[in-house]
Coordinates of all heavy atoms in Angstrom, one line a residue:
M1 N -104.8 19.1 124.8 CA -105.1 20.3 125.6 C -105.7 19.9 126.9 O -106.5 19.0 127.0 CB -106.1 21.2 124.9 CG -106.3 22.6 125.5 SD -107.2 23.7 124.5 CE -108.8 22.9 124.4
K2 N -105.2 20.5 128.0 CA -105.7 20.1 129.3 C -107.2 20.6 129.5 O -107.5 21.8 129.2 CB -104.8 20.8 130.4 CG -105.0 20.1 131.8 CD -103.9 20.7 132.7 CE -104.2 20.2 134.1 NZ -105.4 20.7 134.7
E3 N -108.0 19.8 130.0 CA -109.4 20.2 130.1 C -109.7 20.7 131.5 O -109.0 20.3 132.5 CB -110.3 19.0 129.9 CG -110.3 18.5 128.5 CD -111.4 17.5 128.2 OE1 -111.9 16.8 129.1 OE2 -111.8 17.4 127.0
Q4 N -110.5 21.7 131.6 CA -110.9 22.4 132.9 C -112.4 22.2 133.1 O -113.2 22.2 132.1 CB -110.6 23.8 132.9 CG -109.1 24.1 132.8 CD -108.8 25.6 132.9 OE1 -109.7 26.4 133.0 NE2 -107.5 25.9 132.9
V5 N -112.7 22.0 134.4 CA -114.2 21.9 134.7 C -114.7 23.3 134.9 O -114.2 24.1 135.7 CB -114.4 21.1 136.0 CG1 -115.8 21.1 136.3 CG2 -113.9 19.7 135.7
V6 N -115.8 23.6 134.2 CA -116.5 24.9 134.3 C -117.8 24.7 134.9 O -118.6 23.8 134.4 CB -116.6 25.6 132.9 CG1 -117.4 26.9 133.1 CG2 -115.3 25.9 132.3
T7 N -118.1 25.4 136.0 CA -119.4 25.2 136.6 C -120.3 26.5 136.4 O -119.7 27.6 136.2 CB -119.3 25.0 138.1 OG1 -118.6 26.0 138.7 CG2 -118.8 23.6 138.4
F8 N -121.5 26.3 136.3 CA -122.4 27.5 136.1 C -123.7 27.2 136.8 O -124.1 26.1 137.1 CB -122.7 27.8 134.7 CG -123.5 26.7 133.9 CD1 -124.8 26.9 133.7 CD2 -122.8 25.6 133.5 CE1 -125.5 25.9 133.0 CE2 -123.6 24.6 132.8 CZ -124.9 24.8 132.6
K9 N -124.4 28.3 137.2 CA -125.7 28.2 137.9 C -126.8 28.0 136.8 O -126.9 28.7 135.8 CB -126.0 29.4 138.7 CG -125.2 29.4 140.0 CD -125.6 30.6 140.9 CE -124.7 30.6 142.1 NZ -124.5 31.9 142.7
A10 N -127.7 27.1 137.1 CA -128.9 26.9 136.2 C -130.1 27.0 137.1 O -130.1 26.5 138.3 CB -128.8 25.5 135.5
D11 N -131.1 27.6 136.6 CA -132.4 27.6 137.4 C -133.0 26.2 137.4 O -132.6 25.3 136.7 CB -133.3 28.7 136.9 CG -133.8 28.5 135.5 OD1 -133.8 27.4 135.0 OD2 -134.1 29.5 134.9
K12 N -134.1 26.1 138.2 CA -134.6 24.8 138.4 C -135.1 24.1 137.1 O -134.8 22.9 136.9 CB -135.8 24.9 139.4 CG -136.2 23.6 140.0 CD -137.1 23.8 141.3 CE -137.6 22.5 141.9 NZ -138.9 22.1 141.4
R13 N -135.8 24.9 136.3 CA -136.3 24.4 135.1 C -135.2 23.9 134.2 O -135.3 22.8 133.6 CB -137.1 25.4 134.4 CG -137.8 24.9 133.2 CD -139.1 25.7 132.8 NE -139.5 25.3 131.5 CZ -139.2 25.9 130.3 NH1 -138.4 27.0 130.4 NH2 -139.6 25.4 129.2
M14 N -134.1 24.7 134.1 CA -133.0 24.3 133.2 C -132.3 23.0 133.7 O -132.0 22.1 132.9 CB -132.0 25.4 133.1 CG -131.0 25.2 132.0 SD -129.7 26.5 132.0 CE -130.3 27.7 131.0
S15 N -132.1 22.9 135.0 CA -131.5 21.7 135.5 C -132.3 20.5 135.4 O -131.8 19.4 135.1 CB -131.0 21.9 136.9 OG -132.0 22.6 137.7
E16 N -133.7 20.7 135.5 CA -134.6 19.6 135.2 C -134.4 19.1 133.8 O -134.4 17.9 133.5 CB -136.1 20.0 135.4 CG -136.4 20.4 136.9 CD -136.5 19.1 137.7 OE1 -137.3 18.2 137.4 OE2 -135.8 19.0 138.7
Q17 N -134.4 20.1 132.8 CA -134.3 19.7 131.4 C -132.9 19.0 131.1 O -132.9 18.1 130.3 CB -134.5 21.0 130.6 CG -135.9 21.5 130.5 CD -136.0 22.8 129.8 OE1 -135.2 23.7 130.0 NE2 -137.0 22.9 128.9
L18 N -131.9 19.6 131.8 CA -130.6 19.0 131.5 C -130.5 17.6 132.0 O -129.7 16.8 131.5 CB -129.5 19.9 132.2 CG -129.1 21.2 131.5 CD1 -128.2 22.0 132.3 CD2 -128.4 20.9 130.1
K19 N -131.2 17.3 133.1 CA -131.2 15.9 133.6 C -131.6 14.9 132.6 O -131.1 13.7 132.6 CB -132.2 15.8 134.8 CG -131.6 15.8 136.2 CD -132.7 15.6 137.2 CE -132.3 16.4 138.5 NZ -133.5 16.8 139.2
N20 N -132.4 15.3 131.7 CA -132.9 14.3 130.7 C -132.0 14.1 129.5 O -132.2 13.3 128.6 CB -134.3 14.8 130.1 CG -135.3 14.9 131.2 OD1 -135.3 14.1 132.2 ND2 -136.2 15.9 131.2
I21 N -130.9 14.9 129.5 CA -130.0 14.8 128.3 C -128.9 13.8 128.7 O -128.3 14.0 129.7 CB -129.4 16.2 128.0 CG1 -130.5 17.1 127.4 CG2 -128.2 16.1 127.0 CD1 -130.2 18.6 127.3
P22 N -128.7 12.8 127.9 CA -127.8 11.7 128.2 C -126.4 12.2 128.3 O -125.7 11.8 129.3 CB -128.0 10.8 127.0 CG -128.8 11.4 126.0 CD -129.4 12.6 126.6
N23 N -125.9 13.0 127.4 CA -124.5 13.4 127.5 C -124.4 14.9 127.8 O -124.2 15.7 126.9 CB -123.7 13.1 126.2 CG -122.2 13.1 126.5 OD1 -121.7 13.8 127.4 ND2 -121.5 12.5 125.6
K24 N -124.6 15.3 129.0 CA -124.7 16.7 129.4 C -123.5 17.5 129.0 O -123.6 18.6 128.4 CB -124.9 16.8 130.9 CG -126.4 16.7 131.3 CD -126.6 17.1 132.8 CE -126.3 16.0 133.7 NZ -127.2 14.9 133.7
S25 N -122.3 17.0 129.4 CA -121.1 17.7 129.1 C -120.9 18.1 127.6 O -120.7 19.2 127.2 CB -119.9 17.0 129.6 OG -119.8 16.9 131.0
E26 N -121.1 17.0 126.8 CA -121.0 17.2 125.3 C -122.0 18.2 124.8 O -121.7 19.1 124.1 CB -121.3 15.8 124.7 CG -121.2 15.8 123.2 CD -119.8 15.8 122.7 OE1 -118.9 15.6 123.5 OE2 -119.6 16.1 121.5
F27 N -123.3 18.1 125.3 CA -124.3 19.0 124.9 C -124.0 20.5 125.3 O -124.1 21.4 124.5 CB -125.6 18.6 125.6 CG -126.8 19.5 125.4 CD1 -127.6 19.4 124.3 CD2 -127.1 20.5 126.3 CE1 -128.6 20.3 124.0 CE2 -128.2 21.4 126.1 CZ -129.0 21.3 124.9
I28 N -123.6 20.7 126.5 CA -123.2 22.1 127.0 C -122.0 22.6 126.2 O -122.0 23.7 125.8 CB -123.0 22.1 128.5 CG1 -124.3 21.8 129.2 CG2 -122.5 23.4 128.9 CD1 -124.2 21.4 130.7
R29 N -121.0 21.7 126.0 CA -119.8 22.1 125.3 C -120.2 22.6 123.9 O -119.7 23.7 123.4 CB -118.9 20.9 125.2 CG -117.5 21.2 125.7 CD -116.4 20.3 125.3 NE -116.8 18.9 125.1 CZ -116.8 18.0 126.1 NH1 -116.4 18.2 127.3 NH2 -117.2 16.7 125.8
N30 N -121.0 21.8 123.2 CA -121.5 22.2 121.9 C -122.2 23.5 121.8 O -122.0 24.4 120.9 CB -122.3 21.1 121.2 CG -121.5 19.9 120.8 OD1 -120.3 20.0 120.7 ND2 -122.1 18.8 120.7
A31 N -123.1 23.7 122.8 CA -124.0 24.9 122.9 C -123.1 26.1 123.1 O -123.2 27.2 122.5 CB -125.0 24.8 123.9
V32 N -122.1 26.0 124.0 CA -121.3 27.2 124.3 C -120.4 27.5 123.1 O -120.2 28.6 122.8 CB -120.4 26.9 125.6 CG1 -119.4 28.0 125.8 CG2 -121.3 26.8 126.8
F33 N -119.8 26.4 122.5 CA -119.0 26.6 121.4 C -119.7 27.3 120.3 O -119.2 28.3 119.7 CB -118.5 25.2 120.8 CG -117.6 25.3 119.7 CD1 -116.2 25.6 119.9 CD2 -118.0 25.0 118.4 CE1 -115.3 25.7 118.9 CE2 -117.1 25.1 117.3 CZ -115.8 25.4 117.6
K34 N -120.9 27.0 120.0 CA -121.7 27.6 119.0 C -122.0 29.1 119.3 O -121.9 30.0 118.5 CB -123.1 26.9 118.9 CG -123.3 26.1 117.6 CD -124.6 25.4 117.5 CE -125.5 26.1 116.6 NZ -126.8 25.4 116.5
A35 N -122.3 29.3 120.6 CA -122.6 30.7 121.0 C -121.3 31.6 120.9 O -121.4 32.7 120.5 CB -123.1 30.7 122.5
L36 N -120.2 31.0 121.3 CA -118.9 31.8 121.2 C -118.6 32.2 119.8 O -118.0 33.2 119.5 CB -117.8 31.0 121.8 CG -117.8 30.9 123.4 CD1 -116.7 30.0 123.8 CD2 -117.7 32.2 124.0
N37 N -118.9 31.3 118.8 CA -118.6 31.6 117.5 C -119.5 32.7 116.9 O -119.1 33.3 115.9 CB -118.8 30.3 116.6 CG -117.5 29.5 116.6 OD1 -116.5 30.0 116.8 ND2 -117.7 28.2 116.4
N38 N -120.6 32.9 117.5 CA -121.6 33.9 117.0 C -121.5 35.2 117.8 O -122.2 36.1 117.5 CB -123.0 33.3 117.1 CG -123.2 32.2 116.1 OD1 -122.6 32.3 115.0 ND2 -124.0 31.3 116.4
V39 N -120.6 35.2 118.8 CA -120.6 36.4 119.7 C -120.0 37.6 118.9 O -119.1 37.4 118.0 CB -119.9 36.0 121.0 CG1 -118.4 36.5 121.0 CG2 -120.6 36.5 122.2
C40 N -120.4 38.8 119.2 CA -119.8 40.0 118.6 C -118.3 40.0 118.8 O -117.9 40.0 119.9 CB -120.5 41.2 119.2 SG -119.8 42.7 118.7
P41 N -117.6 40.2 117.7 CA -116.1 40.2 117.8 C -115.6 41.4 118.5 O -114.4 41.5 118.9 CB -115.6 40.0 116.4 CG -116.7 40.6 115.6 CD -118.0 40.3 116.3
V42 N -116.4 42.5 118.5 CA -115.9 43.8 119.1 C -116.1 43.8 120.6 O -115.1 44.1 121.3 CB -116.6 45.0 118.4 CG1 -116.1 46.3 119.0 CG2 -116.3 44.9 116.9
C43 N -117.3 43.6 121.0 CA -117.5 43.7 122.5 C -117.5 42.4 123.2 O -117.7 42.3 124.4 CB -118.8 44.4 122.7 SG -120.3 43.4 122.2
N44 N -117.3 41.2 122.5 CA -117.3 39.9 123.1 C -118.6 39.6 123.8 O -118.6 38.9 124.8 CB -116.1 39.7 124.0 CG -114.9 39.3 123.3 OD1 -114.9 38.5 122.4 ND2 -113.8 39.9 123.7
G45 N -119.7 40.1 123.2 CA -121.0 39.8 123.8 C -121.4 40.7 125.0 O -122.5 40.5 125.5
V46 N -120.5 41.5 125.4 CA -120.9 42.4 126.5 C -122.0 43.4 126.1 O -122.9 43.7 126.9 CB -119.6 43.2 127.0 CG1 -120.0 44.2 128.1 CG2 -118.6 42.2 127.5
G47 N -121.9 43.9 124.9 CA -123.0 44.7 124.4 C -122.6 46.2 124.5 O -123.4 47.1 124.0
V48 N -121.5 46.6 125.1 CA -121.1 48.0 125.2 C -119.6 48.0 124.9 O -118.9 47.1 125.1 CB -121.3 48.6 126.6 CG1 -122.8 48.8 126.9 CG2 -120.8 47.7 127.7
L49 N -119.2 49.2 124.4 CA -117.8 49.4 124.1 C -117.2 50.3 125.3 O -117.8 51.2 125.8 CB -117.6 50.2 122.8 CG -118.3 49.6 121.6 CD1 -118.1 50.5 120.4 CD2 -117.7 48.2 121.3
N50 N -115.9 49.9 125.6 CA -115.3 50.8 126.6 C -114.8 52.1 125.9 O -114.9 52.2 124.7 CB -114.1 50.1 127.3 CG -113.0 49.7 126.4 OD1 -112.7 50.5 125.4 ND2 -112.4 48.6 126.6
S51 N -114.3 53.0 126.7 CA -114.0 54.4 126.1 C -113.0 54.3 125.0 O -113.1 55.1 124.1 CB -113.7 55.4 127.2 OG -112.5 54.9 127.9
C52 N -112.0 53.5 125.2 CA -111.0 53.3 124.1 C -111.6 52.8 122.8 O -111.3 53.2 121.7 CB -109.8 52.4 124.5 SG -108.9 53.0 125.9
Q53 N -112.4 51.8 123.0 CA -113.1 51.2 121.8 C -114.0 52.2 121.2 O -114.2 52.2 120.0 CB -114.0 49.9 122.3 CG -113.1 48.8 122.6 CD -113.9 47.6 123.1 OE1 -114.7 47.8 124.0 NE2 -113.7 46.4 122.6
Q54 N -114.6 53.1 122.0 CA -115.5 54.1 121.4 C -114.7 55.1 120.5 O -115.1 55.5 119.5 CB -116.2 54.9 122.5 CG -117.4 54.2 123.1 CD -118.0 54.9 124.3 OE1 -117.9 56.1 124.4 NE2 -118.5 54.1 125.2
D55 N -113.4 55.4 120.9 CA -112.6 56.2 120.1 C -112.3 55.5 118.8 O -112.4 56.2 117.7 CB -111.2 56.5 120.8 CG -111.4 57.4 122.0 OD1 -112.4 58.1 122.1 OD2 -110.5 57.5 122.9
H56 N -111.9 54.2 118.8 CA -111.7 53.5 117.6 C -113.0 53.5 116.7 O -112.9 53.6 115.5 CB -111.3 52.0 117.9 CG -109.9 51.9 118.5 ND1 -108.8 52.2 117.7 CD2 -109.4 51.6 119.7 CE1 -107.7 52.0 118.4 NE2 -108.1 51.7 119.6
W57 N -114.1 53.3 117.4 CA -115.4 53.3 116.7 C -115.7 54.6 116.0 O -116.1 54.6 114.9 CB -116.5 52.9 117.7 CG -117.9 52.9 117.1 CD1 -118.9 53.8 117.3 CD2 -118.4 52.0 116.1 NE1 -120.0 53.4 116.6 CE2 -119.7 52.3 115.8 CE3 -117.8 50.8 115.5 CZ2 -120.5 51.6 114.9 CZ3 -118.6 50.1 114.6 CH2 -119.9 50.5 114.3
Q58 N -115.3 55.7 116.6 CA -115.5 57.0 116.0 C -114.7 57.1 114.7 O -115.2 57.6 113.7 CB -115.1 58.1 117.0 CG -116.1 58.3 118.2 CD -117.5 58.5 117.8 OE1 -117.8 59.1 116.7 NE2 -118.4 57.9 118.6
D59 N -113.4 56.7 114.8 CA -112.6 56.7 113.6 C -113.2 55.8 112.5 O -113.2 56.2 111.4 CB -111.1 56.1 114.0 CG -110.4 57.0 114.9 OD1 -110.8 58.2 115.0 OD2 -109.4 56.6 115.5
F60 N -113.6 54.7 112.9 CA -114.2 53.7 112.0 C -115.4 54.2 111.3 O -115.6 54.1 110.1 CB -114.5 52.4 112.7 CG -114.9 51.3 111.8 CD1 -114.0 50.5 111.1 CD2 -116.3 50.9 111.8 CE1 -114.4 49.5 110.2 CE2 -116.7 49.9 110.9 CZ -115.8 49.2 110.2
T61 N -116.3 54.9 112.0 CA -117.5 55.3 111.5 C -117.4 56.6 110.6 O -118.3 56.9 109.9 CB -118.6 55.6 112.6 OG1 -118.0 56.4 113.6 CG2 -119.2 54.4 113.1
A62 N -116.2 57.2 110.6 CA -115.9 58.3 109.7 C -116.0 57.8 108.2 O -116.4 58.5 107.3 CB -114.5 58.9 109.9
H63 N -115.7 56.5 108.0 CA -115.8 55.9 106.7 C -116.7 54.7 106.5 O -116.7 54.0 105.5 CB -114.3 55.5 106.2 CG -113.4 56.6 106.3 ND1 -113.4 57.6 105.3 CD2 -112.4 57.0 107.2 CE1 -112.4 58.5 105.6 NE2 -111.9 58.1 106.8
H64 N -117.4 54.4 107.6 CA -118.3 53.3 107.6 C -119.7 53.7 108.2 O -119.7 54.6 109.0 CB -117.7 52.1 108.3 CG -116.4 51.7 107.8 ND1 -115.2 52.2 108.1 CD2 -116.1 50.6 107.0 CE1 -114.2 51.6 107.5 NE2 -114.7 50.6 106.8
A65 N -120.7 53.1 107.7 CA -122.0 53.4 108.2 C -122.7 52.1 108.6 O -122.4 51.0 108.2 CB -122.8 54.0 107.1
V66 N -123.5 52.2 109.6 CA -124.4 51.1 110.1 C -125.6 51.1 109.3 O -126.4 52.1 109.3 CB -124.7 51.2 111.6 CG1 -125.6 50.0 112.0 CG2 -123.4 51.2 112.4
E67 N -125.8 50.1 108.5 CA -127.0 50.0 107.6 C -127.8 48.8 107.8 O -127.4 47.8 108.4 CB -126.5 50.0 106.1 CG -125.9 51.4 105.7 CD -125.5 51.4 104.2 OE1 -125.6 50.3 103.6 OE2 -125.1 52.4 103.8
R68 N -129.1 48.9 107.3 CA -129.9 47.7 107.4 C -130.0 47.0 106.0 O -130.3 47.7 105.1 CB -131.3 48.1 108.0 CG -132.2 46.9 108.3 CD -133.5 47.3 109.0 NE -133.3 47.8 110.3 CZ -133.2 47.0 111.4 NH1 -133.4 45.7 111.3 NH2 -133.0 47.6 112.6
C69 N -129.8 45.8 106.0 CA -129.9 45.1 104.7 C -131.3 45.0 104.2 O -132.2 44.6 104.9 CB -129.3 43.6 104.9 SG -129.4 42.6 103.5
D70 N -131.5 45.3 102.9 CA -132.8 45.2 102.3 C -133.3 43.8 102.2 O -134.5 43.5 102.2 CB -132.8 45.8 100.9 CG -132.6 47.4 101.0 OD1 -133.0 47.9 102.0 OD2 -132.1 47.9 100.0
D71 N -132.4 42.8 102.0 CA -132.8 41.4 101.8 C -133.1 40.8 103.1 O -134.2 40.2 103.2 CB -131.6 40.7 101.2 CG -131.3 41.2 99.8 OD1 -132.2 41.7 99.1 OD2 -130.1 41.2 99.4
C72 N -132.2 40.8 104.1 CA -132.5 40.0 105.3 C -132.9 40.9 106.5 O -133.1 40.4 107.6 CB -131.3 39.2 105.7 SG -129.8 40.1 106.1
Q73 N -132.9 42.2 106.3 CA -133.3 43.2 107.4 C -132.3 43.2 108.6 O -132.6 43.7 109.6 CB -134.7 42.9 107.9 CG -135.8 42.8 106.9 CD -135.9 44.1 106.1 OE1 -135.9 45.2 106.6 NE2 -135.9 44.0 104.8
S74 N -131.1 42.6 108.4 CA -130.1 42.6 109.4 C -129.3 43.9 109.4 O -129.0 44.4 108.3 CB -129.2 41.4 109.3 OG -130.0 40.2 109.5
V75 N -128.9 44.3 110.6 CA -128.0 45.5 110.6 C -126.6 45.0 110.3 O -126.2 44.0 110.8 CB -128.1 46.1 112.0 CG1 -127.0 47.2 112.2 CG2 -129.4 46.7 112.3
H76 N -125.9 45.8 109.5 CA -124.5 45.4 109.2 C -123.7 46.7 108.9 O -124.3 47.8 108.8 CB -124.5 44.5 107.9 CG -125.0 45.2 106.7 ND1 -124.1 45.7 105.8 CD2 -126.2 45.5 106.2 CE1 -124.8 46.3 104.8 NE2 -126.1 46.2 105.0
L77 N -122.4 46.5 108.8 CA -121.5 47.6 108.5 C -121.3 47.8 107.0 O -121.0 46.8 106.3 CB -120.2 47.5 109.2 CG -120.3 47.4 110.8 CD1 -119.0 47.0 111.4 CD2 -120.7 48.8 111.3
A78 N -121.4 49.0 106.5 CA -121.1 49.2 105.1 C -119.9 50.1 105.0 O -119.7 51.1 105.7 CB -122.3 49.9 104.5
C79 N -119.0 49.7 104.1 CA -117.7 50.5 103.9 C -117.9 51.5 102.8 O -118.5 51.2 101.7 CB -116.6 49.5 103.6 SG -115.0 50.2 103.3
E80 N -117.4 52.7 103.0 CA -117.5 53.7 102.0 C -116.6 53.4 100.8 O -116.7 54.0 99.7 CB -117.0 55.1 102.6 CG -118.1 56.1 102.8 CD -117.5 57.4 103.4 OE1 -116.3 57.7 103.1 OE2 -118.3 58.0 104.1
H81 N -115.6 52.5 101.0 CA -114.6 52.3 100.0 C -115.0 51.3 98.9 O -114.2 51.0 98.1 CB -113.3 51.8 100.7 CG -112.8 52.8 101.7 ND1 -112.8 52.5 103.1 CD2 -112.3 54.1 101.6 CE1 -112.4 53.6 103.7 NE2 -112.1 54.5 102.9
N82 N -116.2 50.8 99.0 CA -116.6 50.0 97.8 C -118.0 50.3 97.3 O -118.7 51.0 97.8 CB -116.4 48.5 98.2 CG -117.2 48.1 99.4 OD1 -118.2 48.6 99.7 ND2 -116.6 47.2 100.2
Ligands
ZN1 ZN1 -120.8 44.0 120.2
ZN2 ZN1 -128.6 40.7 104.3
ZN3 ZN1 -113.7 49.8 105.1

């Protein structure tokens, strides 16, 4: 796979801290990879749904509820069908 260079802005403190990391590229690659795997699959981390997604969401919530887990206190989706 062809590699591309991605640049980003870091504030002073962050760039100071990054200076001390021996393999910066590897470190940042790993961090971004981890974050992308955990990002919300619906909104891609944006945090809001566009109007089409809201329509789909309305359909979905007819049979699904947003609940809080008693064990871990995390919000999750519960399906009416099970
Ligand atoms: Zn989301
Ligand atoms: Zn849980
Ligand atoms: Zn379901």
Side-chain angles (χ1 to χ4, degrees):
M1 192 171 62
K2 198 172 171 293
E3 293 193 333
Q4 293 186 359
V5 176
V6 177
T7 52
F8 67 100
K9 283 186 181 151
D11 60 26
K12 198 160 176 266
R13 186 156 170 264
M14 189 187 272
S15 44
E16 293 286 303
Q17 288 173 313
L18 282 171
K19 257 185 214 152
N20 301 324
I21 290 165
N23 196 342
K24 275 192 274 294
S25 289
E26 180 76 14
F27 175 83
I28 294 167
R29 239 196 326 269
N30 286 342
V32 172
F33 183 75
K34 251 177 102 177
L36 286 175
N37 275 335
N38 291 325
V39 99
C40 173
V42 179
C43 70
N44 275 319
V46 175
V48 288
L49 305 177
N50 66 35
S51 57
C52 294
Q53 288 175 310
Q54 278 172 36
D55 288 343
H56 287 291
W57 177 248
Q58 291 306 326
D59 292 345
F60 185 79
T61 47
H63 303 285
H64 300 83
V66 179
E67 291 182 355
R68 189 173 290 273
C69 174
D70 290 334
D71 299 326
C72 67
Q73 307 301 314
S74 297
V75 171
H76 66 97
L77 295 170
C79 181
E80 251 181 29
H81 304 109
N82 54 37

